[in-house]
Amino acid sequence: RGPGPSDGATGRYKPPATETNPALEDPTPDYMNLLGMVFSMCGLMLKLKWCAWIAVYCSFISFANSRSSEDTKQMMSSFMLSISAVVMSYLQNPQPMSPPW
Amino acid sequence: MKNLYIFIALLFIPWSFALAKYDEFEDGDDIMEYDDNDFAEFEDVSEDMVTESPQRIITTEDDEEEATVELEGQDENQEDFDDADAQEGDTESEPYDDEEFEGYEEKPDASHSKNKDPITIVNVPAHLQNSWESYYMEILMVTGLLAYIMNYIIGKNKNNRLAHAWFNTHRELLESNFALVGDDGTNKEATSTGKLNQENEHIYNLWCSGRVCCEGMLIQLKFLKRQDLLNVLARMMRPASDQVQIKVTMNDEDMDTYVFAVGTRKALVRLQKEMQDLSEFCSDKPKSGAKYGLPDSLAILSEMGEVTEGMMDAKMIHFLTHYADKIESVQFSDQFSGPKLMQEEGQLTKLPETKKTLLFTFNVPGSGNTSPKDMESLLPLMSMVIYCIDKAKKFRLNREGKQKADKNRARVEENFLKLTHVQRQEAAQSRREEKKRAEKERIMNEEDPEKQRRLEEAALRREQKKLEKKQMKMKQIKVKAM
C-alpha cells in the first residue's frame, strides 16, 4: 500500500457534476412544486375542495424530496398557497367534501 | 320576556277575533256574569296559567273597570276573551276563521298545525348538523397528512442513523489512507471536518483527499427515499436497495489509457448505453467473466482483451467473487466524462472534458430493509477500492496495447470532428460575416468623409487580396490534380 496521507496533494471538495447540472438530478421536487401550485389555483378559482387537498399533499411531497441547497422560500410559498386554498374553499362552502363515489 | 309577549299579544290581537268569540255568547247579560267569575274557567287549565296569574290579575282589574263603565263596548271585553283564548288555545278545540288570525298566526298555527298540515322534516345541511361524522373525508385527509409527516420523521432518522453507522465503520480505514477526510468546500483552508456532508434527506457526501496517485475520492451514500411516503409505497411494489457510489479521480500521470468495466449484466448494459466513454470505446456486449472464475451474475466490458487480462489478477477475482452480491458496477476509465449529454444540433463543437476516473457502485445488503449493522459488511469493499487505486497506478499497457489504445482514441476524436465539421464550418462562416458587418458599420459611422473613403478603399483592397489568394489556391489544386 502506498505511503499514505502525508505524501499526496490535497484537493478541495468539488460538488458532484449533478449539482451543476440540475436537470440530471431527480426532478421530483420541482414537478411537485409546480403541480401543487396548479392544484391550489384550481382549488381557489374553481372552488374544488379536493384540488386544494391534493395541493397540500403535493407541497408536502415536494418538501420531502427537496435538496438542502434549494430555496426554502419557494417551498414555503407553495405550502402557504396550498393551505390558503384549503382554508378559502372551506370558508366559501363549509359543507364537507363529498366522495366521488 | 313571557309577560311582555303576552302583553303585546293582548294589544295587537284584532278585535274581530273577539267578535267571533263574542258571537258565542248569546246574552249580553252574560258579560256581566263573565266578569265576575272571570277566571273560574281557568282554574283547571294548563300550567302556563299559573305564571300568567299576576298579569291576569292586573288585566282583570282593568276589565272590571271597563266593564262597569261600558257594558256594550266590545273592545274592552275582548281583552278578557283574548286572554282566555290565548291561554285556552290548547284545551278548547273551537272552530275558527282564518281571517281572524291575520296578524297573529304563530300560536294558532302551533296548536293546529298538527291537525291541518303534515309535518315536513327539513333536511338540515350537513355542516349545520354539528356532527363530526359528516366530515369524514376531511378527517381522512388530515390523517393521511399526519401519516406522511410521521413517515418523514421516521425515514429521515433512519437514513441518518444508517449514514452515521457507515461512517463510523469506515472512518478508521479512510483516515489511515487519506489526509483529508470530510470537506464541504466552504472553509478557506483544507481542514478535515470528519463529518458527512448531508445533501438531502437521503444523500450524504464525503470527500477524501490527500493520498498518493489520486486527486481525491468522493463517496456518495445514496439511500432510498425513506422520508417520502410515496416512495415507500412504490418500493413495496418494486424493491430497491441503498447504494454507495465511490468516484476516485486519478492524477493524470498515475493511470494509463484504458476503459474497463465489470458488474452485473443489467447494470453494464445500462451503463453502456448511458455512459459516453463506455459506448465509444467498449463496442462489444458485456462478456461473461466465467473464464476468470467470476460468478455468472457478473459480466465484463473492456476496451481490449489485454486490459481484462491485466485487471483480473488473483486478488481482484477474490474480491469480485466474494462480494458479488454487493457489487453493482466497477468502472475504470481514462476518458470518463459522465453520462452522454443530450446535445442539440450545432451546439457542441468541442469534445467533453475527460478525467481519469475509477467508479464503484455498491449495493447495501438488505434490499431496503437495512439496519445499521449491515454497514459493517461494506468495509471490505472499501478495502477493494483502495486496492484498485493502487492497482490502477501500477498497471501499464505494453507497447501493443498502448498503440491500440492510442488508435482508438484518435478514431473517436476523428469521428467526433467529422460529425461536428459542418457545425464548425458554419460557426467559422458566421464569425467571418460578423467581422465584415462590424467593419461596414464602422465605415458607415465614420463622420469624416475623407476617412470614410479611405476605409472603404482599404476594405476593397483586402477583398481583392482575398480573391486573388483563392484564385491562386484553385490554380495550385488544378495543377496538382493534373
Side-chain angles (χ1 to χ4, degrees), chain A residues 55-90:
Chain A
V56 176
Y57 271 96
C58 283
S59 80
F60 266 86
I61 294 170
S62 169
F63 171 73
N65 284 298
S66 67
R67 302 172 269 276
S68 63
S69 57
E70 226 168 278
D71 209 3
T72 49
K73 276 184 260 172
Q74 178 93 344
M75 294 291 143
M76 287 308 289
S77 75
S78 136
F79 181 65
M80 288 296 155
L81 187 63
S82 55
I83 295 283
S84 71
V86 169
V87 169
M88 288 308 292
S89 309
Y90 279 94

Side-chain angles (χ1 to χ4, degrees), chain B residues 164-377:
Chain B
H164 283 93
W166 181 93
F167 188 51
N168 289 333
T169 323
H170 289 71
R171 185 198 287 265
E172 218 181 292
L173 179 64
L174 290 172
E175 280 178 352
S176 65
N177 273 290
F178 292 89
L180 173 70
V181 173
D183 180 17
D184 53 8
T186 51
N187 298 335
K188 276 197 199 149
E189 294 166 6
T191 45
S192 247
T193 59
K195 276 192 289 181
L196 290 167
N197 192 14
Q198 187 175 1
E199 190 184 307
N200 236 337
E201 301 300 344
H202 62 283
I203 297 182
Y204 291 79
N205 292 339
L206 185 71
W207 172 256
C208 304
S209 186
R211 193 182 197 276
V212 287
C213 48
C214 67
E215 261 182 39
M217 175 169 80
L218 178 68
I219 305 173
Q220 274 194 315
L221 302 174
K222 288 195 171 165
F223 293 120
L224 301 166
K225 286 189 187 175
R226 291 187 177 84
Q227 78 275 12
D228 180 16
L229 188 60
L230 280 186
N231 208 287
V232 169
L233 295 171
R235 261 188 300 120
M236 289 185 184
M237 316 285 170
R238 209 167 25 122
S241 44
D242 305 303
Q243 282 190 339
V244 178
Q245 278 188 359
I246 302 173
K247 183 171 160 183
V248 183
T249 322
M250 301 291 284
N251 290 330
D252 277 339
E253 62 273 15
D254 286 324
M255 184 171 159
D256 212 346
T257 54
Y258 50 88
V259 177
F260 172 77
V262 65
T264 60
R265 201 169 282 272
K266 213 167 118 186
L268 286 184
V269 166
R270 186 175 43 89
L271 284 173
Q272 196 173 27
K273 265 190 257 170
E274 282 176 15
M275 292 293 176
Q276 180 90 3
D277 50 351
L278 286 177
S279 62
E280 281 174 357
F281 293 94
C282 305
S283 43
D284 302 330
K285 275 199 269 193
K287 284 189 223 146
S288 162
K291 196 165 76 164
Y292 303 96
L294 292 178
D296 284 333
S297 57
L298 295 178
I300 299 175
L301 258 183
S302 177
E303 191 183 350
M304 49 189 128
E306 195 204 325
V307 176
T308 322
E309 292 286 332
M311 280 292 138
M312 289 289 132
D313 63 353
K315 204 156 180 198
M316 221 20 197
I317 294 173
H318 168 84
F319 270 126
L320 290 170
T321 338
H322 267 81
Y323 307 109
D325 58 330
K326 300 190 188 70
I327 294 173
E328 168 101 354
S329 72
V330 174
Q331 185 182 349
F332 302 161
S333 170
D334 74 310
Q335 298 281 316
F336 180 74
S337 58
K340 278 193 204 169
L341 299 164
M342 302 310 287
Q343 304 153 8
E344 291 171 15
E345 284 201 25
Q347 256 211 351
L348 201 67
T349 51
K350 251 177 40 171
L351 267 173
E353 258 187 55
T354 59
K355 221 83 187 73
K356 296 197 173 177
T357 324
L358 310 177
L359 282 153
F360 302 84
T361 309
F362 301 130
N363 291 328
V364 177
S367 182
N369 297 326
T370 39
S371 72
K373 284 204 211 111
D374 293 329
M375 294 303 170
E376 290 169 4
S377 57

